[in-house]
C-alpha cells in the first residue's frame, strides 16, 4: 500500500507541474485577445479543478506540446465547454515538438532514490525459480557439532585445520564455546601464538581437539605463562615439547605452575635441574591431579619398601611410575620381587621394568626358567638384565637371550 501511495503522490505532482506549464503557454498565446474576452481569466478555460486534471491527463497521453495557438472559438471571444477547448493536433510543418515522457511506473522509479522492494506475491519465471537456492535451516537443538558446520565459518575452518569435532563435542561446554567464537577475531591470534610457541602446523588440529578451551583464553594471560616458563630456564624447544605433549599446560595460571614445580622439588627432594628435567620428560605431571602422585609415593615407600633415595632414582628414571595404577604397580613388584627374586637395589637400577606388561614379564621368565637360563644376578654367569628381559623384541629375545628359536617360544606359550 505504501508503494502505490507514493506512486499516486508522485503522479499528481508531475501532473500539476505540467498543468502549470501548459496554462502559462495558453496565456501567452491568448495575450493578443485578452481585451476582447471581456474579463477573461485562466480559470475560465476549464470549469473545475477536476476538469483540469482530466484534460491534462488526456493531453499528456496523446499529444506533443509545441507552440500553441488558441482555437477559432477563442479568437471571436466565444468559449465552449472544456472538452471543446482540447488542443488541436500539431501540424507537420511546425517545428519538431518536445515530447513529454510517458508517465508510467518505470519513469517514476527512475526519479526515486530507493529501489522498490520486491513483493512476495510477484510472479517469477521458471528459470528464475530454479536459480533460487534455499539456505538449510539452522537446527535449534542438536547433539552434534556436525549439524552446524554448514552454518559456521569458524567450525568449517577448524575442520579444515584438522580439528576432530566428534571428539571436541564430548568435552564439557566445548561445543558451545566454539559456536560463540569468530575465527578471524578470536581464533587466528591463538593459532599464531601456538605456532610462535613451537607447535607444528600439522599438530594444531590434534592440539585443539584435545584442548579446545585454549581458544577462549586471554592472549595476554597465555603469553605471561610462557614468559614464566622461560624465567625458570626452560628453553624454547623444551617449552614447545611440553606444550605439545601436555595441551592443557597453558591453561594453568603462573601461581599454579609455580606450586606444581615446588611440590615435586620438595616432595621428591630433587634439585632444581632434576625437577625441570622430570617435568620436561612427563609434562602432564604439571597438569594432572596430585592425589594419585601422593598415593603412589606412599605405596612405593610403605608397601613396596623402597627407601627415599631409591624412590628418587626410580621416579627420575621412570616418571610414569608416579601416575601408574596402584594395583598394577603392586602386582608387578610382587612378581618381580617375590617370584623372580629381584632385590630392591636391582629394581632401582632398572625401574623401566614397571612400565612393561606383567604378562610379558611372566611369559619370558617362565620360558627362561623352562630352559634353565633364568639368571638375574649380575655376579653369576649367564646374567640377564631386566632391561634385556622386557625391552627386546621376541625374535631377538629368543635368539640372543634364550638361545632358542621363535617357534620354540611360540610352542611353549601354547602349553601355558
Amino acid at each position: 500500500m505504501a508503494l502505490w501511495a507514493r506512486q499516486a503522490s508522485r503522479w499528481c505532482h508531475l501532473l500539476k507541474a505540467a498543468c502549470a506549464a501548459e496554462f502559462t503557454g495558453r496565456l501567452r498565446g491568448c495575450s493578443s485577445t485578452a481585451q476582447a474576452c471581456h474579463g477573461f481569466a485562466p480559470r475560465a478555460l476549464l470549469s473545475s479543478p477536476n476538469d483540469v486534471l482530466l484534460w491534462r491527463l488526456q493531453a499528456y497521453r496523446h499529444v506533443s506540446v509545441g507552440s500553441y495557438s488558441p482555437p477559432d472559438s477563442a479568437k471571436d471571444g466565444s468559449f465552449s465547454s472544456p472538452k471543446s477547448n482540447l488542443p488541436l493536433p500539431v501540424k507537420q510543418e511546425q517545428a519538431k515538438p518536445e515530447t513529454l515522457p510517458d508517465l508510467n511506473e518505470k519513469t517514476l522509479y527512475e526519479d526515486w532514490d530507493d529501489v522498490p522492494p520486491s513483493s512476495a506475491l510477484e510472479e517469477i519465471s521458471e528459470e528464475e525459480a530454479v536459480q533460487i537456492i534455499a539456505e538449510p535451516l539452522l537446527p535449534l537443538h542438536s547433539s552434534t557439532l556436525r549439524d552446524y558446520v554448514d552454518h559456521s565459518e569458524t567450525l568449517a575452518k577448524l575442520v579444515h585445520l584438522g580439528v576432530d569435532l566428534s571428539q571436541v563435542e564430548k568435552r564439557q561446554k566445548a561445543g558451545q564455546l566454539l559456536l560463540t567464537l569468530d575465527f578471524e577475531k578470536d581464533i587466528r591470534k591463538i593459532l599464531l601464538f601456538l605456532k610462535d610457541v613451537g607447535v607444528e602446523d600439522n599438530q594444531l588440529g590434534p592440539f585443539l581437539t584435545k584442548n579446545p578451551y585454549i581458544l577462549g583464553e586471554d592472549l595476554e594471560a597465555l603469553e605471561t605463562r610462557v614468559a614464566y616458563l622461560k624465567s625458570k630456564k626452560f628453553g624454547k624447544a623444551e617449552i614447545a615439547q611440553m606444550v605439545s605433549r601436555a595441551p592443557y599446560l597453558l591453561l594453568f595460571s603462573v601461581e599454579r605452575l609455580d606450586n606444581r614445580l615446588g611440590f615435586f622439588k620438595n616432595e621428591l627432594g630433587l634439585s632444581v635441574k632434576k625437577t625441570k628435567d622430570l617435568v620436561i620428560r612427563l609434562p602432564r605431571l604439571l597438569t594432572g591431579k596430585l592425589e594419585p602422585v601422593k598415593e603412589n609415593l606412599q605405596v612405593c615407600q610403605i608397601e613396596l619398601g623402597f627407601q627415599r633415595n631409591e624412590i628418587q632414582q626410580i621416579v627420575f628414571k621412570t616418571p610414569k611410575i608416579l601416575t601408574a595404577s596402584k594395583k598394577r604397580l603392586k602386582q608387578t613388584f610382587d612378581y618381580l620381587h617375590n617370584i623372580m627374586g629381584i632385590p630392591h637395589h636391582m629394581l632401582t637400577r632398572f625401574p623401566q621394568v614397571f612400565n612393561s606388561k606383567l604378562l610379558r614379564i611372566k611369559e619370558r621368565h617362565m620360558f627362561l626358567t623352562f630352559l634353565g637360563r633364568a639368571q638375574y644376578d649380575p655376579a653369576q654367569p649367564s646374567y640377564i638384565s631386566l632391561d634385556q628381559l622386557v625391552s627386546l623384541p621376541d625374535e631377538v629375545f629368543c635368539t640372543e637371550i634364550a638361545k632358542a628359536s621363535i617357534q620354540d617360544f611360540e610352542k611353549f606359550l601354547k602349553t601355558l
Side-chain angles (χ1 to χ4, degrees):
M1 294 298 296
L3 176 61
W4 290 110
R6 294 177 61 186
Q7 292 177 351
S9 176
R10 179 65 176 172
W11 197 356
C12 291
H13 177 74
L14 292 177
L15 285 176
K16 290 179 180 179
C19 287
E22 184 63 23
F23 285 140
T24 303
R26 290 173 64 92
L27 289 175
R28 290 177 179 175
C30 296
S31 59
S32 61
T33 60
Q35 293 179 352
C37 290
H38 304 289
F40 169 78
R43 290 180 180 270
L45 291 174
L46 294 174
S47 60
S48 67
N50 292 333
D51 291 334
V52 173
L53 292 177
L54 179 61
W55 175 84
R56 187 57 221 161
L57 177 61
Q58 294 176 355
Y60 193 87
R61 287 293 187 180
H62 299 93
V63 303
S64 299
V65 178
S67 59
Y68 177 76
S69 299
D72 295 337
S73 58
K75 295 179 181 179
D76 58 11
S78 61
F79 291 92
S80 60
S81 66
K83 292 184 179 179
S84 65
N85 288 318
L86 292 178
L88 296 177
V90 181
K91 296 181 180 181
Q92 294 181 358
E93 60 269 15
Q94 293 177 341
K96 186 176 180 180
E98 178 183 359
T99 302
L100 292 180
D102 189 18
L103 190 62
N104 54 26
E105 187 177 0
K106 181 178 179 181
T107 304
L108 293 176
Y109 286 161
E110 290 177 352
D111 293 335
W112 294 352
D113 292 334
D114 56 329
V115 179
S118 59
S119 172
L121 301 179
E122 181 182 353
E123 294 185 3
I124 61 175
S125 65
E126 293 184 1
E127 295 181 355
E128 293 174 332
V130 172
Q131 296 176 356
I132 296 177
I133 301 177
E135 294 291 337
L137 295 177
L138 181 67
L140 298 179
H141 302 283
S142 178
S143 60
T144 175
L145 289 173
R146 181 176 53 196
D147 294 337
Y148 296 94
V149 172
D150 293 335
H151 308 275
S152 172
E153 180 184 4
T154 295
L155 292 183
K157 288 185 176 182
L158 288 176
V159 170
H160 182 72
L161 197 63
V163 177
D164 187 350
L165 296 182
S166 65
Q167 296 299 318
V168 171
E169 63 193 20
K170 295 178 182 179
R171 307 184 186 279
Q172 187 177 14
K173 297 183 179 180
Q176 293 90 324
L177 172 65
L178 295 187
L179 289 174
T180 61
L181 297 177
D182 180 83
F183 189 88
E184 297 297 330
K185 179 181 178 181
D186 305 315
I187 297 180
R188 181 178 293 277
K189 60 184 179 182
I190 303 298
L191 296 178
L192 294 176
F193 164 78
L194 291 175
K195 291 182 63 175
D196 185 63
V197 169
V199 180
E200 299 293 336
D201 290 349
N202 60 352
Q203 291 299 316
L204 288 174
F207 181 93
L208 295 178
T209 299
K210 296 177 182 177
N211 179 20
Y213 304 107
I214 196 172
L215 297 176
E217 287 289 304
D218 180 69
L219 181 60
E220 185 176 352
L222 295 175
E223 293 173 341
T224 300
R225 293 160 195 171
V226 173
Y228 166 77
L229 294 176
K230 291 180 179 179
S231 70
K232 293 297 180 181
K233 307 304 180 182
F234 289 95
K236 182 176 177 61
E238 295 169 340
I239 294 175
Q241 177 182 335
M242 293 168 65
V243 171
S244 299
R245 296 178 61 184
Y248 284 94
L249 178 63
L250 294 181
L251 295 185
F252 285 69
S253 64
V254 170
E255 294 77 11
R256 195 170 181 181
L257 291 173
D258 191 66
N259 291 337
R260 288 297 179 94
L261 289 173
F263 169 81
F264 290 106
K265 179 179 180 299
N266 299 328
E267 195 73 17
L268 299 174
L270 299 176
S271 64
V272 173
K273 184 179 183 306
K274 286 190 175 182
T275 302
K276 188 179 71 172
D277 292 341
L278 177 69
V279 297
I280 290 174
R281 294 165 60 195
L282 192 64
R284 71 169 182 265
L285 289 175
L286 296 176
T287 62
K289 296 181 179 179
L290 292 180
E291 286 74 14
V293 174
K294 295 177 180 179
E295 292 176 358
N296 281 4
L297 289 175
Q298 292 179 352
V299 167
C300 289
Q301 186 173 0
I302 298 174
E303 299 187 38
L304 306 186
F306 288 99
Q307 301 298 317
R308 181 176 175 83
N309 64 326
E310 291 176 332
I311 295 175
Q312 289 177 353
Q313 295 181 49
I314 292 173
V315 169
F316 184 74
K317 292 179 180 179
T318 314
K320 288 184 179 180
I321 201 171
L322 292 173
T323 58
S325 166
K326 291 186 295 182
K327 180 179 178 181
R328 176 185 171 187
L329 187 61
K330 290 188 287 185
Q331 288 177 343
T332 303
F333 173 82
D334 181 67
Y335 191 84
L336 290 169
H337 184 68
N338 298 324
I339 303 300
M340 296 175 59
I342 310 297
H344 283 81
H345 72 274
M346 290 296 295
L347 293 175
T348 302
R349 184 179 176 185
F350 299 103
Q352 60 269 26
V353 71
F354 288 103
N355 290 334
S356 300
K357 294 182 179 180
L358 181 57
L359 179 60
R360 185 185 184 92
I361 297 174
K362 287 182 177 180
E363 289 176 346
R364 294 190 175 189
H365 170 69
M366 294 174 69
F367 185 57
L368 291 175
T369 301
F370 173 75
L371 297 174
R373 302 184 63 83
Q375 175 55 260
Y376 308 111
D377 185 355
Q380 301 296 325
S382 303
Y383 161 70
I384 298 175
S385 69
L386 295 178
D387 182 51
Q388 292 176 324
L389 179 69
V390 298
S391 63
L392 296 176
D394 286 342
E395 295 79 1
V396 179
F397 166 77
C398 290
T399 56
E400 297 185 6
I401 304 301
K403 307 299 181 180
S405 64
I406 184 67
Q407 292 78 14
D408 293 336
F409 183 52
E410 293 173 349
K411 290 180 181 179
F412 174 79
L413 294 178
K414 292 179 181 180
T415 63
L416 298 178

